Amino acid sequence: MGILTIVTFLPLVGVAIILLLKPLKRESDATIKYVANVTAVASFIGTLIILALYDPNVATLQLVERVAWIPSWGISYYMGVDGVSILMVLLTSFITMLALASSWTGITENVKQYYIFMLLLLVGMMGVFLAQDLFLFYVFWEFTLIPMYFLIGIWGGQKRVYAAIKFFLYTMAGSLLMLLAILYMGITNGTFGVPELIAGREAFANVQALLFVGFAIAFAIKVPVFPFHSWLPDAHTEAPTAGSIILAGVLLKMGTYGFIRFNLPLFPEASVQFAPFIAVLAIIGIIYGAIVAFAQTDVKKLVAYSSISHLGFVMLGIFALNNAGIQGAILQGFNHGISSGALFFIVGIIYEQRHTREISEFGGIWKIMPVFSILTLIVLLSSMGLPGLNGFVGEFTILLGSMGAASLGATAWIYTAFATTGVILAAIYLLWMFQRVFMGPVSNAKNEKLVDLSKLQLVIMLAFLVFIFWIGIAPSGFFALMNSSVSTLVADLSATMIAMP
């Protein structure tokens, strides 16, 4: 059993221990929380071991584990990691570890079931980023829906059932087209292994536009790309704090990862053909998400719409189809996971004490919660792309890539110009929210009872801030992790563009 399998399925050990606590007469909420959090920490340590074993100079898959699963159908248990997935693997374990820790005081009902679903979700997410067989990938992809559906539907807000069903149906419906595309390729090539399908992609070259669309719709819904975004605000708003942290931090990245892992190498000609169209949708998402965020009266909904805007940048970088664009997109996906995860944690801290997220209910919080306010300001500045913090590095690299994108033609600078407005709009809606919530007099007497960060909350916030500053000041190590794999992918795409009429 290899390290990738151990790290992927390690959370099941935590699930088994939690289930055994009752027969052993040791079941209590505190014990369950300890077991779940220790399991999450162990998973994070496991991903650090993967990072230590990973060689950034190797462009191909590493730490490969492959066993025939259903050989008559060409299906295998096939796991591997490369520069496209290594940061996502680290992000998944890191965000889940902090999300579980943030639930310590917030979850008081059905504690056992809650932590079981959280650990099961970790298994699914880790599998998505490591699976190299399309059948195996699809199993993990669909599996993630089940725990998140229950997390939103049981521990969410007032409209939790509606939000959970909407989330499930949207994602499930989009995935069916991807399933058809997977079946076609697997039957045509006699294998579901991704490297073999890439090598033999000529077998389905005549229908690659249709196959591209099948995958693209599934991934676009997950990102979400405009106009497939309407499930996101409801799911974010109704989800419990940890659910929102994982949803924004990891689950949305499954969509952007899918485009890079599958669409670009499997369907290079279609990727080039669809690049301008998807870039337009990305820019609409950047501007639309920012404008709608500004109109929100609920802080959590504002952060949710900001995700649509920020992930528009990631999509623009991917379909620049060059080194700067794709590397910037991967890093910005990681950045968004950190910054938006921190923002949803911040909203959860306020909601836990006041049980409201309405901006009009607050004001003057800086005077009552100074430490919380200072750390929140730093996270907001990172989200709007202030130089020296993580958001700037990702957005700058993406804009650098889109400016010189051959896939966008001579008008690439126009795409870049429109995308840049998103940076300005982000500063407007985030600073507007900060001014209304944190500055000015304490206009509501209920806010005078607010308590500043606890020790646990401070540790979680500082963990987010480590990466916010680290990536902002010294991003070269993060780029080095993905450079070889992305360069190989871009070389393939460039050759395709040259060969196209």
Side-chain angles (χ1 to χ4, degrees):
M1 187 183 294
I3 183 66
L4 300 186
T5 298
I6 292 171
V7 170
T8 301
F9 294 102
L10 181 61
L12 293 182
V13 176
V15 171
I17 294 172
I18 290 172
L19 291 172
L20 288 171
L21 288 175
K22 191 168 185 177
L24 295 173
K25 297 181 179 179
R26 293 178 178 272
E27 185 176 79
S28 69
D29 287 354
T31 307
I32 291 168
K33 291 175 182 179
Y34 275 118
V35 170
N37 278 275
V38 168
T39 304
V41 171
S43 292
F44 178 62
I45 293 171
T47 57
L48 293 179
I49 295 171
I50 292 173
L51 179 62
L53 297 172
Y54 173 79
D55 183 355
N57 298 313
V58 177
T60 53
L61 290 172
Q62 300 179 47
L63 307 176
V64 172
E65 301 167 25
R66 190 167 195 176
V67 179
W69 187 9
I70 313 175
S72 57
W73 296 353
I75 296 171
S76 58
Y77 174 82
Y78 189 1
M79 305 281 270
V81 66
D82 64 2
V84 173
S85 57
I86 185 68
L87 282 179
M88 294 299 103
V89 170
L90 291 167
L91 179 68
T92 299
S93 62
F94 180 72
I95 290 292
T96 304
M97 178 178 69
L98 297 187
L100 280 169
S102 74
S103 306
W104 193 274
T105 57
I107 300 299
T108 55
E109 296 180 1
N110 300 312
V111 173
K112 179 179 180 179
Q113 293 85 344
Y114 174 84
Y115 282 98
I116 286 174
F117 283 128
M118 288 289 282
L119 292 175
L120 290 176
L121 183 59
L122 177 55
V123 173
M125 295 186 299
M126 198 65 74
V128 163
F129 294 122
L130 293 173
Q132 301 301 328
D133 179 281
L134 280 177
F135 182 85
L136 180 64
F137 166 79
Y138 189 80
V139 170
F140 281 124
W141 175 273
E142 293 294 272
F143 179 76
T144 59
L145 296 181
I146 300 166
M148 182 52 78
Y149 169 79
F150 284 108
L151 286 168
I152 297 171
I154 298 174
W155 293 274
Q158 291 182 343
K159 298 179 181 178
R160 58 185 179 273
V161 176
Y162 166 77
I165 293 173
K166 192 174 182 180
F167 160 76
F168 192 91
L169 291 179
Y170 258 73
T171 315
M172 187 80 176
S175 299
L176 292 178
L177 292 173
M178 179 169 68
L179 177 61
L180 290 174
I182 289 171
L183 290 172
Y184 181 88
M185 288 191 295
I187 292 169
T188 303
N189 289 61
T191 179
F192 289 86
V194 176
E196 289 83 3
L197 288 172
I198 293 171
R201 66 193 179 201
E202 289 302 317
F204 48 82
N206 59 328
V207 291
Q208 70 167 279
L210 287 173
L211 297 174
F212 178 95
V213 170
F215 276 82
I217 289 176
F219 298 146
I221 290 171
K222 185 70 85 176
V223 171
V225 176
F226 179 91
F228 303 105
H229 64 280
S230 63
W231 65 268
L232 181 68
D234 292 315
H236 265 318
T237 305
E238 299 304 323
T241 298
S244 293
I245 293 171
I246 288 181
L247 187 60
V250 183
L251 285 182
L252 306 188
K253 310 310 170 304
M254 285 164 49
T256 56
Y257 167 81
F259 276 108
I260 301 170
R261 168 66 70 204
F262 304 111
N263 283 64
L264 301 192
L266 286 170
F267 323 116
E269 289 183 16
S271 297
V272 174
Q273 290 167 352
F274 281 102
F277 175 68
I278 293 178
V280 169
L281 293 182
I283 290 166
I284 292 172
I286 290 170
I287 298 171
Y288 167 84
I291 292 172
V292 177
F294 183 74
Q296 298 308 308
T297 59
D298 181 314
V299 183
K300 203 172 188 184
K301 268 200 171 179
L302 183 147
V303 178
Y305 277 106
S306 77
S307 289
I308 297 171
S309 182
H310 285 113
L311 285 164
F313 279 101
V314 177
M315 290 302 299
L316 179 63
I318 292 170
F319 283 90
L321 303 183
N322 56 26
N323 242 316
I326 295 175
Q327 289 197 37
I330 295 172
L331 185 63
Q332 188 62 6
F334 187 91
N335 289 339
H336 179 264
I338 299 295
S339 297
S340 67
L343 285 172
F344 280 112
F345 177 58
I346 285 163
V347 174
I349 291 171
I350 296 177
Y351 182 76
E352 206 172 296
Q353 296 192 49
R354 279 293 323 274
H355 300 289
T356 181
R357 296 184 296 263
E358 289 296 314
I359 293 174
S360 59
E361 286 287 317
F362 298 98
I365 288 181
W366 188 291
K367 298 174 183 176
I368 302 160
M369 306 171 72
V371 176
F372 173 71
S373 302
I374 291 169
L375 298 184
T376 299
L377 179 59
I378 295 170
V379 174
L380 287 176
L381 293 173
S382 82
S383 189
M384 69 178 73
L386 184 77
L389 302 176
N390 62 341
F392 173 77
V393 178
E395 288 180 359
F396 176 83
T397 313
I398 287 168
L399 294 173
L400 187 67
S402 68
M403 181 66 86
S407 61
L408 302 180
T411 57
W413 68 271
I414 298 176
Y415 290 87
T416 308
F418 275 104
T420 307
T421 62
V423 179
I424 301 165
L425 292 171
I428 292 171
Y429 67 75
L430 288 170
L431 291 175
W432 173 83
M433 182 271 284
F434 187 82
Q435 181 183 2
R436 297 280 300 279
V437 174
F438 291 88
M439 308 304 287
V442 183
S443 53
N444 190 330
K446 294 178 182 177
N447 293 327
E448 294 177 358
K449 298 178 182 178
L450 291 171
V451 180
D452 214 336
L453 295 178
S454 66
K455 290 180 180 178
L456 175 61
Q457 290 169 341
L458 181 59
V459 168
I460 294 170
M461 283 295 293
L462 291 177
F464 281 119
L465 291 176
V466 166
F467 282 99
I468 286 174
F469 282 109
W470 186 359
I471 298 172
I473 296 168
S476 59
F478 294 85
F479 284 121
L481 290 173
M482 64 182 97
N483 184 56
S484 295
S485 296
V486 173
S487 295
T488 302
L489 173 59
V490 170
D492 184 33
L493 290 168
S494 299
T496 300
M497 279 189 266
I498 292 168
M500 287 176 70

